[in-house]
Amino acid sequence: MSQLTIRVPEDLDFAALSLRRDPVSREVSFAWAPIERICEVSGVDIQVFRAGHEDNVSGLIIAWYNIHRQHGGAPDAVAEQLLAEVDAENRYGEINVQPRCQRRASVIRRPSPRRSIIH
């Protein structure tokens, strides 16, 4: 994906994402309204994030979180987990989680924070 210039409205707090993670499936969920607002303000088609590869939206979330923290924003437990996973993946390769039962294995892939799409 080519780089995009994204603007986060000053009155939009990172907490508005309501970032959550299911403790069993480890699936990450969040509110789309803040992403939609960012796209509207930035003149970016929301489909880049909704219909594109999951790395697009996860990259946006991680980049926004890094900026949020740099400006004194409060830590977010789920975002911190994602950053730790990115770091582990960068050091050791893709993380594969093998379930204890006969179900399919889950693969967790997160973008590198170095591939930030926010300028």
Side-chain angles (χ1 to χ4, degrees):
M1 178 176 92
S2 60
Q3 283 196 338
L4 300 172
T5 300
I6 300 293
R7 290 174 209 68
V8 177
E10 288 189 30
D11 65 335
L12 185 58
D13 188 64
F14 186 81
L17 272 177
S18 300
L19 200 55
R20 296 176 302 281
R21 184 174 226 172
D22 184 282
V24 176
S25 71
R26 310 215 11 101
E27 186 172 304
V28 175
S29 62
F30 55 94
W32 274 99
I35 303 294
E36 291 167 348
R37 183 157 177 233
I38 289 169
C39 286
E40 182 179 324
V41 167
S42 302
V44 173
D45 184 355
I46 187 64
Q47 293 307 310
V48 169
F49 300 105
R50 280 198 178 269
H53 193 278
E54 70 181 34
D55 283 357
N56 294 353
V57 73
S58 59
L60 171 61
I61 290 170
I62 292 299
W64 182 12
Y65 182 67
N66 284 329
I67 290 168
H68 164 78
R69 293 291 289 145
Q70 289 169 5
H71 288 95
D76 180 276
V78 174
E80 291 295 331
Q81 288 173 3
L82 296 176
L83 285 173
E85 288 173 12
V86 167
D87 184 52
E89 186 175 324
N90 288 338
R91 289 176 189 223
Y92 307 110
E94 187 174 295
I95 302 168
N96 289 300
V97 179
Q98 302 296 322
R100 293 181 186 205
C101 60
Q102 294 285 337
R103 291 187 224 158
R104 260 186 15 208
S106 299
V107 178
I108 301 170
R109 285 179 234 162
R110 299 290 176 240
S112 167
R114 287 174 265 162
R115 294 189 318 200
S116 172
I117 58 174
I118 297 181
H119 298 283

